[in-house]
PDB file of all heavy atoms in Angstrom:
ATOM      1  N   LEU A 228      94.124 126.332 135.255  1.00  0.00           N
ATOM      2  CA  LEU A 228      95.534 126.686 135.379  1.00  0.00           C
ATOM      3  C   LEU A 228      95.991 127.522 134.191  1.00  0.00           C
ATOM      4  O   LEU A 228      96.728 128.484 134.333  1.00  0.00           O
ATOM      5  CB  LEU A 228      96.343 125.405 135.506  1.00  0.00           C
ATOM      6  CG  LEU A 228      97.867 125.532 135.411  1.00  0.00           C
ATOM      7  CD1 LEU A 228      98.372 126.360 136.589  1.00  0.00           C
ATOM      8  CD2 LEU A 228      98.536 124.170 135.394  1.00  0.00           C
ATOM      9  N   TRP A 229      95.585 127.107 133.003  1.00  0.00           N
ATOM     10  CA  TRP A 229      96.065 127.794 131.781  1.00  0.00           C
ATOM     11  C   TRP A 229      95.520 129.215 131.763  1.00  0.00           C
ATOM     12  O   TRP A 229      96.236 130.139 131.284  1.00  0.00           O
ATOM     13  CB  TRP A 229      95.660 127.026 130.543  1.00  0.00           C
ATOM     14  CG  TRP A 229      96.356 127.544 129.348  1.00  0.00           C
ATOM     15  CD1 TRP A 229      95.805 128.187 128.270  1.00  0.00           C
ATOM     16  CD2 TRP A 229      97.771 127.421 129.082  1.00  0.00           C
ATOM     17  NE1 TRP A 229      96.791 128.495 127.338  1.00  0.00           N
ATOM     18  CE2 TRP A 229      98.003 128.045 127.849  1.00  0.00           C
ATOM     19  CE3 TRP A 229      98.797 126.891 129.805  1.00  0.00           C
ATOM     20  CZ2 TRP A 229      99.273 128.103 127.288  1.00  0.00           C
ATOM     21  CZ3 TRP A 229     100.058 126.948 129.245  1.00  0.00           C
ATOM     22  CH2 TRP A 229     100.310 127.597 128.021  1.00  0.00           C
ATOM     23  N   GLN A 230      94.299 129.449 132.244  1.00  0.00           N
ATOM     24  CA  GLN A 230      93.745 130.805 132.262  1.00  0.00           C
ATOM     25  C   GLN A 230      94.599 131.681 133.204  1.00  0.00           C
ATOM     26  O   GLN A 230      94.865 132.847 132.888  1.00  0.00           O
ATOM     27  CB  GLN A 230      92.282 130.733 132.751  1.00  0.00           C
ATOM     28  CG  GLN A 230      91.356 129.916 131.883  1.00  0.00           C
ATOM     29  CD  GLN A 230      91.288 130.390 130.481  1.00  0.00           C
ATOM     30  OE1 GLN A 230      91.384 131.570 130.213  1.00  0.00           O
ATOM     31  NE2 GLN A 230      91.197 129.445 129.508  1.00  0.00           N
ATOM     32  N   ALA A 231      95.059 131.086 134.361  1.00  0.00           N
ATOM     33  CA  ALA A 231      95.867 131.862 135.267  1.00  0.00           C
ATOM     34  C   ALA A 231      97.249 132.157 134.681  1.00  0.00           C
ATOM     35  O   ALA A 231      97.805 133.237 134.859  1.00  0.00           O
ATOM     36  CB  ALA A 231      96.006 131.101 136.605  1.00  0.00           C
ATOM     37  N   ILE A 232      97.833 131.155 133.896  1.00  0.00           N
ATOM     38  CA  ILE A 232      99.134 131.393 133.274  1.00  0.00           C
ATOM     39  C   ILE A 232      99.071 132.501 132.262  1.00  0.00           C
ATOM     40  O   ILE A 232     100.003 133.285 132.110  1.00  0.00           O
ATOM     41  CB  ILE A 232      99.638 130.063 132.678  1.00  0.00           C
ATOM     42  CG1 ILE A 232      99.902 129.037 133.762  1.00  0.00           C
ATOM     43  CG2 ILE A 232     100.877 130.282 131.822  1.00  0.00           C
ATOM     44  CD1 ILE A 232     100.287 127.674 133.238  1.00  0.00           C
ATOM     45  N   ARG A 233      97.978 132.586 131.547  1.00  0.00           N
ATOM     46  CA  ARG A 233      97.846 133.670 130.536  1.00  0.00           C
ATOM     47  C   ARG A 233      97.834 135.021 131.162  1.00  0.00           C
ATOM     48  O   ARG A 233      98.312 136.003 130.577  1.00  0.00           O
ATOM     49  CB  ARG A 233      96.532 133.459 129.761  1.00  0.00           C
ATOM     50  CG  ARG A 233      96.605 132.259 128.774  1.00  0.00           C
ATOM     51  CD  ARG A 233      95.314 132.102 128.038  1.00  0.00           C
ATOM     52  NE  ARG A 233      95.354 131.035 127.074  1.00  0.00           N
ATOM     53  CZ  ARG A 233      94.303 130.655 126.329  1.00  0.00           C
ATOM     54  NH1 ARG A 233      93.133 131.314 126.441  1.00  0.00           N
ATOM     55  NH2 ARG A 233      94.430 129.670 125.468  1.00  0.00           N
ATOM     56  N   GLN A 234      97.282 135.158 132.393  1.00  0.00           N
ATOM     57  CA  GLN A 234      97.229 136.430 133.052  1.00  0.00           C
ATOM     58  C   GLN A 234      98.548 136.804 133.713  1.00  0.00           C
ATOM     59  O   GLN A 234      98.959 137.959 133.698  1.00  0.00           O
ATOM     60  CB  GLN A 234      96.083 136.449 134.065  1.00  0.00           C
ATOM     61  CG  GLN A 234      94.731 136.250 133.441  1.00  0.00           C
ATOM     62  CD  GLN A 234      93.624 136.206 134.475  1.00  0.00           C
ATOM     63  OE1 GLN A 234      93.874 136.375 135.685  1.00  0.00           O
ATOM     64  NE2 GLN A 234      92.398 135.950 134.064  1.00  0.00           N
ATOM     65  N   HIS A 235      99.186 135.820 134.350  1.00  0.00           N
ATOM     66  CA  HIS A 235     100.431 136.089 135.051  1.00  0.00           C
ATOM     67  C   HIS A 235     101.446 134.998 134.709  1.00  0.00           C
ATOM     68  O   HIS A 235     101.157 133.810 134.885  1.00  0.00           O
ATOM     69  CB  HIS A 235     100.178 136.096 136.596  1.00  0.00           C
ATOM     70  CG  HIS A 235      99.154 137.077 137.009  1.00  0.00           C
ATOM     71  ND1 HIS A 235      99.401 138.410 137.061  1.00  0.00           N
ATOM     72  CD2 HIS A 235      97.866 136.882 137.374  1.00  0.00           C
ATOM     73  CE1 HIS A 235      98.305 139.050 137.473  1.00  0.00           C
ATOM     74  NE2 HIS A 235      97.334 138.122 137.679  1.00  0.00           N
ATOM     75  N   PRO A 236     102.610 135.342 134.257  1.00  0.00           N
ATOM     76  CA  PRO A 236     103.629 134.314 133.892  1.00  0.00           C
ATOM     77  C   PRO A 236     104.143 133.560 135.094  1.00  0.00           C
ATOM     78  O   PRO A 236     104.613 132.422 134.954  1.00  0.00           O
ATOM     79  CB  PRO A 236     104.712 135.106 133.208  1.00  0.00           C
ATOM     80  CG  PRO A 236     104.564 136.483 133.753  1.00  0.00           C
ATOM     81  CD  PRO A 236     103.112 136.718 133.937  1.00  0.00           C
ATOM     82  N   VAL A 237     104.094 134.147 136.294  1.00  0.00           N
ATOM     83  CA  VAL A 237     104.564 133.506 137.512  1.00  0.00           C
ATOM     84  C   VAL A 237     103.462 133.637 138.560  1.00  0.00           C
ATOM     85  O   VAL A 237     102.959 134.755 138.767  1.00  0.00           O
ATOM     86  CB  VAL A 237     105.860 134.099 138.045  1.00  0.00           C
ATOM     87  CG1 VAL A 237     106.307 133.423 139.303  1.00  0.00           C
ATOM     88  CG2 VAL A 237     106.963 134.013 136.968  1.00  0.00           C
ATOM     89  N   GLY A 238     103.083 132.537 139.247  1.00  0.00           N
ATOM     90  CA  GLY A 238     102.074 132.635 140.247  1.00  0.00           C
ATOM     91  C   GLY A 238     101.741 131.317 140.903  1.00  0.00           C
ATOM     92  O   GLY A 238     102.424 130.322 140.710  1.00  0.00           O
ATOM     93  N   HIS A 239     100.679 131.358 141.723  1.00  0.00           N
ATOM     94  CA  HIS A 239     100.196 130.173 142.462  1.00  0.00           C
ATOM     95  C   HIS A 239      98.679 130.069 142.318  1.00  0.00           C
ATOM     96  O   HIS A 239      97.977 131.090 142.113  1.00  0.00           O
ATOM     97  CB  HIS A 239     100.546 130.304 143.986  1.00  0.00           C
ATOM     98  CG  HIS A 239     101.956 129.995 144.292  1.00  0.00           C
ATOM     99  ND1 HIS A 239     102.968 130.918 144.232  1.00  0.00           N
ATOM    100  CD2 HIS A 239     102.530 128.839 144.712  1.00  0.00           C
ATOM    101  CE1 HIS A 239     104.105 130.364 144.555  1.00  0.00           C
ATOM    102  NE2 HIS A 239     103.870 129.096 144.890  1.00  0.00           N
ATOM    103  N   MET A 240      98.196 128.890 142.536  1.00  0.00           N
ATOM    104  CA  MET A 240      96.770 128.632 142.636  1.00  0.00           C
ATOM    105  C   MET A 240      96.536 127.241 143.235  1.00  0.00           C
ATOM    106  O   MET A 240      97.440 126.394 143.242  1.00  0.00           O
ATOM    107  CB  MET A 240      96.087 128.760 141.277  1.00  0.00           C
ATOM    108  CG  MET A 240      96.482 127.669 140.269  1.00  0.00           C
ATOM    109  SD  MET A 240      95.630 127.841 138.727  1.00  0.00           S
ATOM    110  CE  MET A 240      93.932 127.778 139.270  1.00  0.00           C
ATOM    111  N   ARG A 241      95.327 127.063 143.741  1.00  0.00           N
ATOM    112  CA  ARG A 241      94.948 125.739 144.278  1.00  0.00           C
ATOM    113  C   ARG A 241      93.937 125.147 143.299  1.00  0.00           C
ATOM    114  O   ARG A 241      92.915 125.785 143.014  1.00  0.00           O
ATOM    115  CB  ARG A 241      94.318 125.879 145.676  1.00  0.00           C
ATOM    116  CG  ARG A 241      93.960 124.523 146.295  1.00  0.00           C
ATOM    117  CD  ARG A 241      93.328 124.660 147.644  1.00  0.00           C
ATOM    118  NE  ARG A 241      94.292 125.168 148.610  1.00  0.00           N
ATOM    119  CZ  ARG A 241      94.097 125.185 149.940  1.00  0.00           C
ATOM    120  NH1 ARG A 241      92.981 124.723 150.430  1.00  0.00           N
ATOM    121  NH2 ARG A 241      95.010 125.690 150.748  1.00  0.00           N
ATOM    122  N   MET A 242      94.207 123.958 142.807  1.00  0.00           N
ATOM    123  CA  MET A 242      93.350 123.380 141.802  1.00  0.00           C
ATOM    124  C   MET A 242      93.407 121.846 141.883  1.00  0.00           C
ATOM    125  O   MET A 242      94.325 121.262 142.502  1.00  0.00           O
ATOM    126  CB  MET A 242      93.819 123.800 140.411  1.00  0.00           C
ATOM    127  CG  MET A 242      95.276 123.398 140.046  1.00  0.00           C
ATOM    128  SD  MET A 242      95.712 123.635 138.323  1.00  0.00           S
ATOM    129  CE  MET A 242      94.760 122.319 137.594  1.00  0.00           C
ATOM    130  N   THR A 243      92.420 121.196 141.284  1.00  0.00           N
ATOM    131  CA  THR A 243      92.386 119.789 141.172  1.00  0.00           C
ATOM    132  C   THR A 243      92.933 119.349 139.838  1.00  0.00           C
ATOM    133  O   THR A 243      92.507 119.840 138.807  1.00  0.00           O
ATOM    134  CB  THR A 243      90.955 119.268 141.333  1.00  0.00           C
ATOM    135  OG1 THR A 243      90.445 119.671 142.602  1.00  0.00           O
ATOM    136  CG2 THR A 243      90.907 117.754 141.274  1.00  0.00           C
ATOM    137  N   SER A 244      93.899 118.456 139.842  1.00  0.00           N
ATOM    138  CA  SER A 244      94.565 118.062 138.635  1.00  0.00           C
ATOM    139  C   SER A 244      93.606 117.271 137.732  1.00  0.00           C
ATOM    140  O   SER A 244      92.922 116.363 138.172  1.00  0.00           O
ATOM    141  CB  SER A 244      95.753 117.130 138.966  1.00  0.00           C
ATOM    142  OG  SER A 244      96.312 116.578 137.775  1.00  0.00           O
ATOM    143  N   PRO A 245      93.517 117.696 136.415  1.00  0.00           N
ATOM    144  CA  PRO A 245      92.629 116.940 135.500  1.00  0.00           C
ATOM    145  C   PRO A 245      93.211 115.593 135.142  1.00  0.00           C
ATOM    146  O   PRO A 245      92.518 114.763 134.550  1.00  0.00           O
ATOM    147  CB  PRO A 245      92.581 117.856 134.284  1.00  0.00           C
ATOM    148  CG  PRO A 245      93.860 118.638 134.310  1.00  0.00           C
ATOM    149  CD  PRO A 245      94.181 118.832 135.777  1.00  0.00           C
ATOM    150  N   ILE A 246      94.472 115.326 135.532  1.00  0.00           N
ATOM    151  CA  ILE A 246      95.104 114.063 135.151  1.00  0.00           C
ATOM    152  C   ILE A 246      94.819 112.960 136.202  1.00  0.00           C
ATOM    153  O   ILE A 246      94.374 111.861 135.850  1.00  0.00           O
ATOM    154  CB  ILE A 246      96.615 114.240 134.945  1.00  0.00           C
ATOM    155  CG1 ILE A 246      96.852 115.235 133.818  1.00  0.00           C
ATOM    156  CG2 ILE A 246      97.317 112.916 134.705  1.00  0.00           C
ATOM    157  CD1 ILE A 246      98.321 115.539 133.600  1.00  0.00           C
ATOM    158  N   ASP A 247      95.078 113.257 137.457  1.00  0.00           N
ATOM    159  CA  ASP A 247      94.882 112.227 138.540  1.00  0.00           C
ATOM    160  C   ASP A 247      93.845 112.598 139.560  1.00  0.00           C
ATOM    161  O   ASP A 247      93.586 111.856 140.484  1.00  0.00           O
ATOM    162  CB  ASP A 247      96.208 111.946 139.215  1.00  0.00           C
ATOM    163  CG  ASP A 247      96.859 113.213 139.794  1.00  0.00           C
ATOM    164  OD1 ASP A 247      96.193 114.224 139.843  1.00  0.00           O
ATOM    165  OD2 ASP A 247      98.030 113.118 140.131  1.00  0.00           O
ATOM    166  N   GLY A 248      93.196 113.755 139.412  1.00  0.00           N
ATOM    167  CA  GLY A 248      92.130 114.153 140.278  1.00  0.00           C
ATOM    168  C   GLY A 248      92.560 114.546 141.688  1.00  0.00           C
ATOM    169  O   GLY A 248      91.728 114.608 142.588  1.00  0.00           O
ATOM    170  N   VAL A 249      93.864 114.842 141.917  1.00  0.00           N
ATOM    171  CA  VAL A 249      94.338 115.239 143.234  1.00  0.00           C
ATOM    172  C   VAL A 249      94.350 116.747 143.369  1.00  0.00           C
ATOM    173  O   VAL A 249      94.830 117.421 142.448  1.00  0.00           O
ATOM    174  CB  VAL A 249      95.779 114.628 143.472  1.00  0.00           C
ATOM    175  CG1 VAL A 249      96.309 115.100 144.801  1.00  0.00           C
ATOM    176  CG2 VAL A 249      95.769 113.129 143.423  1.00  0.00           C
ATOM    177  N   GLU A 250      93.808 117.265 144.463  1.00  0.00           N
ATOM    178  CA  GLU A 250      93.850 118.702 144.683  1.00  0.00           C
ATOM    179  C   GLU A 250      95.246 119.091 145.197  1.00  0.00           C
ATOM    180  O   GLU A 250      95.753 118.538 146.150  1.00  0.00           O
ATOM    181  CB  GLU A 250      92.789 119.094 145.732  1.00  0.00           C
ATOM    182  CG  GLU A 250      92.728 120.586 145.912  1.00  0.00           C
ATOM    183  CD  GLU A 250      91.696 121.015 146.967  1.00  0.00           C
ATOM    184  OE1 GLU A 250      91.200 120.107 147.667  1.00  0.00           O
ATOM    185  OE2 GLU A 250      91.436 122.193 147.133  1.00  0.00           O
ATOM    186  N   ARG A 251      95.855 120.075 144.518  1.00  0.00           N
ATOM    187  CA  ARG A 251      97.196 120.494 144.877  1.00  0.00           C
ATOM    188  C   ARG A 251      97.301 121.993 144.987  1.00  0.00           C
ATOM    189  O   ARG A 251      96.529 122.742 144.344  1.00  0.00           O
ATOM    190  CB  ARG A 251      98.202 120.014 143.827  1.00  0.00           C
ATOM    191  CG  ARG A 251      98.371 118.482 143.763  1.00  0.00           C
ATOM    192  CD  ARG A 251      99.462 118.124 142.780  1.00  0.00           C
ATOM    193  NE  ARG A 251      99.727 116.686 142.767  1.00  0.00           N
ATOM    194  CZ  ARG A 251      99.100 115.826 141.967  1.00  0.00           C
ATOM    195  NH1 ARG A 251      98.223 116.286 141.123  1.00  0.00           N
ATOM    196  NH2 ARG A 251      99.384 114.549 142.021  1.00  0.00           N
ATOM    197  N   ILE A 252      98.303 122.435 145.721  1.00  0.00           N
ATOM    198  CA  ILE A 252      98.750 123.823 145.720  1.00  0.00           C
ATOM    199  C   ILE A 252      99.818 123.908 144.590  1.00  0.00           C
ATOM    200  O   ILE A 252     100.864 123.330 144.715  1.00  0.00           O
ATOM    201  CB  ILE A 252      99.315 124.246 147.062  1.00  0.00           C
ATOM    202  CG1 ILE A 252      98.235 124.155 148.167  1.00  0.00           C
ATOM    203  CG2 ILE A 252      99.894 125.680 147.020  1.00  0.00           C
ATOM    204  CD1 ILE A 252      98.763 124.371 149.559  1.00  0.00           C
ATOM    205  N   THR A 253      99.471 124.645 143.549  1.00  0.00           N
ATOM    206  CA  THR A 253     100.274 124.611 142.333  1.00  0.00           C
ATOM    207  C   THR A 253     100.994 125.936 142.124  1.00  0.00           C
ATOM    208  O   THR A 253     100.401 127.002 142.237  1.00  0.00           O
ATOM    209  CB  THR A 253      99.406 124.292 141.158  1.00  0.00           C
ATOM    210  OG1 THR A 253      98.709 123.050 141.366  1.00  0.00           O
ATOM    211  CG2 THR A 253     100.198 124.149 139.861  1.00  0.00           C
ATOM    212  N   ALA A 254     102.307 125.853 141.789  1.00  0.00           N
ATOM    213  CA  ALA A 254     103.099 127.002 141.383  1.00  0.00           C
ATOM    214  C   ALA A 254     103.457 126.849 139.927  1.00  0.00           C
ATOM    215  O   ALA A 254     103.796 125.741 139.466  1.00  0.00           O
ATOM    216  CB  ALA A 254     104.366 127.100 142.245  1.00  0.00           C
ATOM    217  N   PHE A 255     103.335 127.941 139.160  1.00  0.00           N
ATOM    218  CA  PHE A 255     103.682 127.900 137.721  1.00  0.00           C
ATOM    219  C   PHE A 255     104.663 129.038 137.435  1.00  0.00           C
ATOM    220  O   PHE A 255     104.653 130.088 138.068  1.00  0.00           O
ATOM    221  CB  PHE A 255     102.422 127.970 136.849  1.00  0.00           C
ATOM    222  CG  PHE A 255     101.548 129.128 137.147  1.00  0.00           C
ATOM    223  CD1 PHE A 255     101.770 130.410 136.556  1.00  0.00           C
ATOM    224  CD2 PHE A 255     100.473 129.003 138.013  1.00  0.00           C
ATOM    225  CE1 PHE A 255     100.926 131.477 136.826  1.00  0.00           C
ATOM    226  CE2 PHE A 255      99.657 130.058 138.316  1.00  0.00           C
ATOM    227  CZ  PHE A 255      99.862 131.301 137.731  1.00  0.00           C
TER     228      PHE A 255
END
Side-chain angles (χ1 to χ4, degrees):
L228 172 64
W229 192 248
Q230 301 301 324
I232 293 175
R233 288 180 177 176
Q234 297 178 4
H235 303 285
V237 179
H239 281 85
M240 67 178 302
R241 184 180 292 191
M242 59 169 288
T243 301
S244 171
I246 297 177
D247 55 13
V249 177
E250 184 182 9
R251 293 185 175 91
I252 298 173
T253 304
F255 54 86

